[in-house]
Structures are given as structure tokens and as C-alpha cells.
């Protein structure tokens, strides 16, 4: 590799760990209930803001690391906690690390053969998402769930595979003893 062609200038950002904003500012991608009508077990709609993603852009090559903050607001629709759309990486073998900054959440991970792992997210948690695992975060608390994600920059996001199988194998709902994972009635193994 010719480093003269690929040498980036080092840079820094500051993260507000309570609301996920960046300095210097990055424009957020916003997802509302209307953008996720079929993501939940029961169809939903509305202009309620569910989450915002602020990405620190770098060239999308496999020698760079893309990173972003996600601010996932508290709320529920038809008993299901607010969550991200969730995706496999387009390049399936690309891994990712999530670092929890504030709030309380669950990270759902599912393999293509339907295995499921649910991990906790909170300030100081580090979740390793190996390649091959779809991932969706869920806010089970009363404050925004804020986390920082770092991943190989050419990973890409595949949302359609999740849509086609009706979501993840489990959904997170409020149970008698707090949030619990229950089978997703819409899930169909691909
Ligand atoms: C990207 C990484 C996160 C999510 C973000 C929103 O690979 O996993 O930055 O993009 O949490 O979730 P989603 O499923 O809408 O992309
Ligand atoms: Zn990802």
C-alpha cells in the first residue's frame, strides 16, 4: 500500500455522553415510528422520534474504522420498547464494538441460522458483535440510551434480510419483573 495516497490527517471529536451529540457537530440521521412501521411485532405509525445516529465519516475502505453515536429515546409502541431497525452487515464477516455511554438497554444479536444472544447495555458496557450476527438495540429505561459504535468502514448495512424474516427471533417487552425477551410472533426463519 502506498501510504502517501491513503494518509489521512488525524482528527478528534468530543461526545456528549448524555445526549449523544458530537463536537464538531454532525447532522443526525433521524428515525421516526413512521420509518419503522413494520419493524415491530404489531404495525405502528406516528411521527415520534425513536432514534438519531451521528456518524463520523471516513473513507469506507477496510483499512478505516467508521464510528457513530446512537441516541435511542425511551418509549414503547404496543408494549414493545423503542428500538433500532437492526441489520446484518452487508459484508457479513464485518465485526463491530458497542460502548455504552448512558441509559439502559438490551442488545439483541441473531445469527442467520436463528441463534439469539441478548446482552445488557449501560454506561461503561462494551459489547462485541462478531461478524455474522445481526444486531438491534432496545431502550428499556426511562432516559435516552446512548452508545458509541465502531466498525470496519466497508461493512455496510443490510436491513432487507431482517425485514424479510419478520424481524428478530425475539422481541423485548415489559414483563412482570421488568424487560423480558419473548418469541417474536412474526419471525420466520429464512
Ligand atoms: C452501524 C451500527 C450503528 C447503527 C445504529 C442505528 O453498523 O450498528 O451505528 O447503525 O445504532 O441502527 P440501525 O439498525 O438503524 O442501523
Ligand atoms: Zn452494525
Amino acid at each position: 500500500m502506498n501510504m502517501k495516497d491513503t494518509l489521512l490527517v488525524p482528527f478528534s471529536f468530543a461526545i456528549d455522553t448524555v445526549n449523544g451529540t458530537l463536537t464538531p457537530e454532525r447532522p443526525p440521521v433521524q428515525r421516526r415510528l413512521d420509518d419503522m412501521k413494520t419493524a415491530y411485532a404489531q404495525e405502528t405509525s406516528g411521527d415520534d422520534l425513536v432514534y438519531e445516529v451521528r456518524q463520523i465519516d471516513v473513507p469506507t475502505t477496510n483499512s478505516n474504522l467508521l464510528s457513530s453515536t446512537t441516541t435511542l429515546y425511551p418509549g414503547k409502541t404496543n408494549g414493545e420498547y423503542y428500538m433500532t431497525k437492526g441489520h446484518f452487515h452487508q459484508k457479513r464477516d464485518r465485526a463491530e464494538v458497542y460502548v455504552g455511554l448512558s441509559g439502559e438497554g438490551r442488545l439483541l444479536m441473531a445469527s442467520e441460522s436463528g441463534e439469539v444472544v441478548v446482552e445488557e447495555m449501560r454506561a461503561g458496557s462494551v459489547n462485541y458483535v462478531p461478524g455474522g450476527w445481526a444486531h438491534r438495540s432496545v431502550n428499556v429505561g426511562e432516559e435516552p440510551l446512548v452508545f458509541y459504535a465502531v466498525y470496519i468502514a466497508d461493512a455496510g448495512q443490510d436491513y432487507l434480510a431482517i425485514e424479510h424474516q419478520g424481524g428478530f427471533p425475539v422481541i423485548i417487552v415489559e414483563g412482570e419483573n421488568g424487560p423480558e425477551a419473548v418469541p417474536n410472533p412474526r419471525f420466520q426463519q429464512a
Side-chain angles (χ1 to χ4, degrees), residues 28-43:
V29 171
Q30 298 187 317
R31 300 277 181 231
R32 299 177 185 276
L33 280 178
D34 276 340
D35 300 314
M36 317 182 56
K37 284 186 175 150
T38 58
Y40 293 91
Q42 284 183 53
E43 195 162 317

Side-chain angles (χ1 to χ4, degrees), residues 87 89 96 135:
H87 57 267
H89 286 154
E96 178 153 10
H135 36 289

